[in-house]
Amino acid sequence: MNEWPQGRSGDQSGNRYGRGSGSNEPEGARAMPHVRRDAGPGYGRNEPPLPPSLSPRRGGSVPPQQSQGYDDHYDSGYNTGQVYGGGGGRGRSGGGYGDDGYARPRPRWGRRIKWTLITVVVVALVASVGTYFWADGKLRREVDLSKVIDRPATGDGTNYLIVGTDSREGMTDEMKQKLHTGGPTDGGRTDSMLILHDGSNGPTLISLPRDSNVEIPSYVGSTSGKQFPARGRHTKLNATYAEDGPALLVRTIEYNTHLHIDHYVEIGFAGFANIVDALGGVEMDIPQAFKDKDSGADFKAGTQTLTGAQALAFVRTRHAFASQDLQRTKNQQKFLAAVAKQAATPGTLLNPFKFYPTLGAGLDTLRVDKDMSLWDLGQMFFAMKGVTGGDGKSMNMPISGSVGGNLVWDQAKLKQLVQQLNNDEPVTVSGN
């Protein structure tokens, strides 16, 4: 039977593809417009479909020299002589054919990976910027150090004054009972005071006993603006906070040490306990068991995880120790370093369900100076962590004796210590 329509039958001269063909290829293959490879009769009005004997979908065969054409499912312009179609093979794009006969392009994995990475970077950037503004908005910049008069010269490195107060701000009666923080409703004294020096030779953490004997200098009232002259008056260091708040505390420390305080950070009872609970507790190694009814402490010896209430009892206890306030300051240093170490672990920083509650708990109760930035706060945090990691030193203020029950600072050692801090030199002075 004649398989070619319109009389295009085999030629007697041996040209099997019909008259007018100058090659061994079908005439339609040299001028065939773009058609689907499975197009039936009438799909291209001016060109006939492939004969059934040559159709790949009907099991036909193609001369070897034409087999490459079956992999080319599209052509720019008119075909140059290759037969359209191509069974189930892949085209130049590396794709395949669907059930409808159309070619399917190869997945572009390079482009997918690129856009995935771009998306991850954009999401991380947006989250970081959002976290920064959220945290910056919660930071309470309430302490104005510009009201501090007659300040010593600024030395090398950065000095942070870290203060823990007995403030009951935001605490319910139930919380006060649970945390054993009875007494004045508003608080007004400091339970802990530490100077953290962050410099090129590593951080140095110095505890200032609250019972330190200090001289009250002249000062300007933080709220009244009134000038108060020096009267040669001596008192416990923590009493200065009760008298006129952070400004007088900073003024007194600078006057008695000649060390410039760059930043001020304060946290109350409730904030301290909330940070510990947000971390899921803090692991501590307590070398000796002790009890204290005033703070509510009741600890056994050994490694244990402290809750917020237990942690507060741990850092407030002094009556259970022979050296009282000196031992308490050592416990405070040890615990703060443990908190910084645990807060800086990947399990906290990379876990949003722990990171944001911890950060929020701290920022809700922190009071800082007006010039404190989140960057400064972060630097302080990692300097504190460095003390734990062995990159720094922790010590008490050198003590030479006591007067009237108050601890007297060793002036010779104090002068050497301040000189080393101001020059950002390694600290060689030992404390109590």
Side-chain angles (χ1 to χ4, degrees), residues 13 16 39 55 67 88 98 141-143 161 165 178 180-181 206 258 290-291 309 337 381 403 416:
S13 63
R16 58 177 296 195
S55 174
S67 59
R141 299 180 176 91
E142 299 174 354
V143 179
L161 178 60
T165 72
K178 177 182 177 182
H180 297 269
T181 58
I206 308 164
H258 304 289
F290 64 89
K291 291 184 179 182
F381 171 78
V403 55
Q416 183 183 0

Side-chain angles (χ1 to χ4, degrees), residues 119-157:
T119 301
V120 170
V121 170
V122 170
V123 170
L125 182 61
V126 171
S128 299
V129 172
T131 298
Y132 177 87
F133 283 104
W134 168 77
D136 189 72
K138 293 177 74 68
L139 200 57
R140 298 168 57 188
R141 299 180 176 91
E142 299 174 354
V143 179
D144 189 359
L145 295 183
S146 67
K147 296 182 178 180
V148 180
I149 63 173
D150 300 332
R151 309 192 68 183
T154 302
D156 295 329

